[in-house]
Amino acid sequence: MGIKPFNMAKKISGGLVLYEQINGTLKFLIAHPGGPFFKNRDDGYWSIPKGEPEEKEEIFDAAVREFEEETGLIPKGPYINLGSILQKNGKLVYAWGFAGSWVEGAVPKCNEITLEYPIGSGKVWTFPEIDRAIMMLAEEAKQKLSAKQAPFIDRLIQSLNEKERVTKS
């Protein structure tokens, strides 16, 4: 979608924000990372489903692939470009929104990660990349998301409001 393929020199990531509007109420899908480090962490630790592109992969294609890998749900457009944000770790994250639905209480069907934790302990853990994915109202989603990712929710709402105004005109 017009963004250059993966550049080895800069860390970038692409993600999707699923939204659903029922009776005028908007909800957004956000994901909680799995594993022992995030087990007891909540506000500020959630994320949009996202990931890094593979070599020569377009960032949008990576966003679609990562969403499917992390949720088990195949995303379908049309997509709304939400621009990018710069995370604290220096990673540039691009995102797109799309309409869809998520079954309440559904467990994400995602990849698993295996790592030694704590480092140097010899204990090896295997856990899901994300352990929960939940549809939330905007304010709750922004509270749970990493502060740098919260603007994606505002941008999506703004875009949907603008689209609605154009439709009504």
Side-chain angles (χ1 to χ4, degrees):
M1 290 191 108
I3 296 172
K4 294 180 182 176
F6 178 62
N7 176 347
M8 295 297 283
K10 189 179 218 178
K11 287 279 192 179
I12 62 172
S13 192
L16 298 181
V17 181
L18 170 93
Y19 71 91
E20 184 173 31
Q21 187 167 4
I22 299 175
N23 299 325
T25 300
L26 273 172
K27 287 190 174 183
F28 307 87
L29 184 73
I30 63 171
H32 186 268
F37 179 74
F38 296 101
K39 183 177 180 184
N40 296 316
R41 299 176 192 259
D42 193 32
D43 289 357
Y45 287 92
W46 292 64
S47 177
I48 64 169
K50 63 175 180 45
E52 295 179 7
E54 295 172 355
E55 194 168 343
K56 298 191 187 221
E57 182 179 34
E58 293 278 340
I59 191 68
F60 175 77
D61 296 333
V64 171
R65 176 184 49 77
E66 286 287 340
F67 186 91
E68 184 176 352
E69 286 178 4
E70 292 186 3
T71 66
L73 183 69
I74 298 171
K76 293 183 172 41
Y79 298 96
I80 299 167
N81 188 335
L82 303 176
S84 64
I85 55 99
L86 186 62
Q87 294 189 148
K88 285 182 184 179
N89 64 3
K91 183 183 283 187
L92 192 58
V93 179
Y94 295 88
W96 292 264
F98 74 102
S101 61
W102 181 259
V103 177
E104 189 174 333
V107 177
K109 296 177 181 129
C110 64
N111 295 335
E112 291 188 330
I113 297 171
T114 301
L115 61 79
E116 181 183 28
Y117 184 83
I119 295 172
S121 68
K123 295 180 183 178
V124 177
W125 296 67
T126 298
F127 52 89
E129 193 169 354
I130 62 172
D131 59 16
R132 289 175 279 165
I134 302 172
M135 296 294 285
M136 294 183 180
L137 296 171
E139 289 309 311
E140 184 180 15
K142 291 190 306 184
Q143 179 179 335
K144 300 282 183 202
L145 281 171
S146 156
K148 295 289 187 175
Q149 291 183 24
F152 288 139
I153 301 296
D154 291 329
R155 292 175 192 173
L156 182 51
I157 291 169
Q158 181 180 359
S159 180
L160 293 170
N161 286 340
E162 288 171 2
K163 184 178 177 183
E164 186 175 310
R165 279 193 293 272
V166 170
T167 304
K168 288 182 178 179
S169 298

